[in-house]
């Protein structure tokens, strides 16, 4: 008997107990791995995705083993991590129609957690309860886990799986539409890591020309290393100028551009400007990401300059880009507002817009609503309230107003009680007619808004520029009916203008724009700030003077001009001028 066996307990009994515990824990570890495999097999589709997700599972386990060396604890942690990642990916897809990517972890900020808590106010309590349950369980597994794995074996497995995942991702690169399918959460996350690391290693966050021997200078710059004219020399803040309203018309374009579409009489008149012209804006998004166009029209820059990272452009540039339309207008005495239709922490919108010069950011919480899809009249009324509140200060106002009634989906009738009395479905598919019905609602609400401004402020002038932020997703099956999906994907990847064309229109209330020389018939979204400044009589600062030269050289094309060379050079100018920092 062993001296430590204890009275009445034989060494063989203890050995048997250890053997039972050994087998039980081995079975538990195997069961956890089988559970992980089952999770992957039910969320991944196709041999490639399944193989990649299994490699990712092994990679996570090897990484944890290299740190902890205990396979039981590592297996449980890996399973919990995979389940949480898939749940987060489903959550993100439900809001953004995009699954989780590597950049979601590379660009983690306070707004990310704040937005989660805004959408799920009980999440903090749920996480605390989950932690209270999980920590004791993990401690028990840790305490009784008899197995150990040498770190060199774990590191070898980590290196091998990393190499295999990288090789598979390079040989079969992720296509741009795949993250928008809502499946293959783990394999897509793994491949996005390869894409992101490769992108950052090759070009960094933004496409930009390399530094020259000395900083590039914008036109009109001072010597002695001062690349920009001082604000006081560029704009007289006491000059009388019109109020400016920039109106984002959700998913709107002239759908009569699609063959065979029936529209109400006078439908296309809405898309015409004060001079009777109908103009086309080329967006950098189609079917979804409003924030690409938001970035374009506020900064005058291209989201495409961020390549594969452009989906996160507002988060990447938050507090890093200090150039844009609101900044210029603030220097000219304007008070700048943004009426944002959802929570301000969505994709870092508040931080991004404030960095671009928005002085007063009003999100849906500030507007006193809990839903982010309100009738357009609601946002017009909010704009009228801001104007009424600001009138005693006699300062010109710039306001960026978002409309949301025409947001997808169009398979349901949105607010049938708001249908115009004279509305008759034109006779297309139910989805297309619903899209047009919402556009007609917007047109009616806009006319009432203009009438209210004329009535309430007869002695004040307003410049209104409205635009469609992107085409609706349904346009992809209307513009070229019956098109092969692979050919359609190629057109979208090549930014075919047919799928990226919306509209922009310029209106005046007690005001006739004096200079529309920048309002070309077809214009990339990044030039919209130029149009507004010249139409309002605001002098261009050196950066916008330079951008106007690019616009004229390139006939309204920005990023695609000279295969991106003009945009890369311009980005270098902005960096050297101190308008882009930390990218």
């Amino acid at each position: 008997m062993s001296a430590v066996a204890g009275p009445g307990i034989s060494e063989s009994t203890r050995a048997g107990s250890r053997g039972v515990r050994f087998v039980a824990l081995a079975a538990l570890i195997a069961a956890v791995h089988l559970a992980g495999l089952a999770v992957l097999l039910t969320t991944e589709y196709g041999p490639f995705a399944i193989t990649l997700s299994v490699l990712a599972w092994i990679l996570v386990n090897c990484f944890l083993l290299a740190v902890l060396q205990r396979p039981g604890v590592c297996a449980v942690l890996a399973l919990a991590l995979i389940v949480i990642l898939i749940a987060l990916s489903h959550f993100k897809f439900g809001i953004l129609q995009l699954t989780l990517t590597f950049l979601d972890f590379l660009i983690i900020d306070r707004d990310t957690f704040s937005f989660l808590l805004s959408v799920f106010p009980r999440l903090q309590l749920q996480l605390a309860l989950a932690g209270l349950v999980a920590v004791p369980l993990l401690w028990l597994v840790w305490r009784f886990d008899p197995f150990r794995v040498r770190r060199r074996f774990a590191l070898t497995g980590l290196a091998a799986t990393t190499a295999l995942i990288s090789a598979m991702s390079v040989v079969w690169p992720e296509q741009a539409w795949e993250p928008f399918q809502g499946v293959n959460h783990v394999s897509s996350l793994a491949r996005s890591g390869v894409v992101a690391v490769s992108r950052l290693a090759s070009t960094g966050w933004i496409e930009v020309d390399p530094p020259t021997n000395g900083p590039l200078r914008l036109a009109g710059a001072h010597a002695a290393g001062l690349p920009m004219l001082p604000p006081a020399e560029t704009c007289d803040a006491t000059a009388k100028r019109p109020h400016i309203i920039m109106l984002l018309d959700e998913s709107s374009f002239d759908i009569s551009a699609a063959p065979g579409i029936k529209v109400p009489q006078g439908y296309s008149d809405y898309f015409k400007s004060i001079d009777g012209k109908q103009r086309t804006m080329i967006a950098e998004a189609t079917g979804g990401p409003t924030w690409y166009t938001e970035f374009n029209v506020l900064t005058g820059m291209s989201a495409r300059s961020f390549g594969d990272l452009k989906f996160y452009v507002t988060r990447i540039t938050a507090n890093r880009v200090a150039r844009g339309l609101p900044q210029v207008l603030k220097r000219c005495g304007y008070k700048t507002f943004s009426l944002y239709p959802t929570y301000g922490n969505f994709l870092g919108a508040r931080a991004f817009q404030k960095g671009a010069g928005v002085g007063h950011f009003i999100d849906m919480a500030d507007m006193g609503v809990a839903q982010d899809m309100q009738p357009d009249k609601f946002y017009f009324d909010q704009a009228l309230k801001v104007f009424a509140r600001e009138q005693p200060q006699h300062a010109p106002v710039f306001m960026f107003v978002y409309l949301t009634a025409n947001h997808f989906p169009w398979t349901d009738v949105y607010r049938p009680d708001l249908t115009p009395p004279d509305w008759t479905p034109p006779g297309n598919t139910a989805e297309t007619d619903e899209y047009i019905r919402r556009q007609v609602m917007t047109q009616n609400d806009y006319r009432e808004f203009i009438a209210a401004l004329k009535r309430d402020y007869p002695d004040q002038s307003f410049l209104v520029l409205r635009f469609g932020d992107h085409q609706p997703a349904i346009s992809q099956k209307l513009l070229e009916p019956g098109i092969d999906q692979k050919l359609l994907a190629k057109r979208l990847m090549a930014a075919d203008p047919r799928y990226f064309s919306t509209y922009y229109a310029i209106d005046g209330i007690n005001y006739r724009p004096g200079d529309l020389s920048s309002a070309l018939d077809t214009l990339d979204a990044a030039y919209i700030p130029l149009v507004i400044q010249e139409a309002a009589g605001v002098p261009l600062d050196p950066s916008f003077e330079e951008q106007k030269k690019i616009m004229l050289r390139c006939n309204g094309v920005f990023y695609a001009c000279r295969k991106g060379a003009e945009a890369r050079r311009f980005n270098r100018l902005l960096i050297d001028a101190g308008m882009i920092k930390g990218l």
Side-chain angles (χ1 to χ4, degrees), residues 521-577:
D521 291 345
T522 300
L523 199 66
D524 275 11
Y527 292 123
I528 290 296
L530 276 173
V531 177
I532 288 178
Q533 289 176 72
E534 294 199 327
V538 173
L540 302 180
D541 73 13
S543 74
F544 280 107
E545 285 181 2
E546 184 65 32
Q547 192 168 12
K548 183 172 183 179
K549 293 177 183 177
I550 298 172
M551 181 192 74
L552 297 175
R553 273 199 305 270
C554 299
N555 298 315
V557 176
F558 186 50
Y559 178 83
C561 185
R562 295 178 54 216
K563 298 181 179 180
E566 289 283 4
R568 290 192 298 272
R569 173 183 163 276
F570 188 65
N571 291 339
R572 169 52 58 190
L573 285 168
L574 296 180
I575 289 173
D576 287 348

Side-chain angles (χ1 to χ4, degrees), residues 92 99-108 112 312 315:
K92 180 184 174 185
T99 53
L100 208 63
T101 72
F102 179 77
L103 284 173
D104 287 306
F105 301 96
L106 193 61
I107 315 173
I108 292 178
T112 304
Y312 301 89
R315 289 177 64 189

Side-chain angles (χ1 to χ4, degrees), residues 349-361:
R350 180 185 287 105
F352 158 67
Q353 292 199 17
K354 282 189 170 291
V358 171
H360 304 271
F361 185 91

Side-chain angles (χ1 to χ4, degrees), residues 434-450:
E434 170 63 10
Y435 174 81
I436 297 171
R437 183 187 74 94
R438 296 193 204 177
Q439 284 188 308
V440 173
M441 289 166 53
T442 298
Q443 293 173 17
N444 289 347
D445 289 344
Y446 176 67
R447 281 192 285 268
E448 290 181 7
F449 175 61
I450 294 300

Side-chain angles (χ1 to χ4, degrees), residues 502-525:
T502 63
Y503 82 98
Y504 77 100
I506 305 155
D507 293 328
I509 303 170
N510 305 322
Y511 182 74
R512 191 83 184 180
D515 185 357
L516 292 179
S517 60
S518 293
L520 305 185
D521 291 345
T522 300
L523 199 66
D524 275 11

Side-chain angles (χ1 to χ4, degrees), residues 413-425 434 437-438 440-441 444:
V413 178
Y414 172 72
R415 293 294 301 267
D417 57 304
L418 299 178
T419 301
D422 57 348
W423 167 253
T424 300
E434 170 63 10
R437 183 187 74 94
R438 296 193 204 177
V440 173
M441 289 166 53
N444 289 347

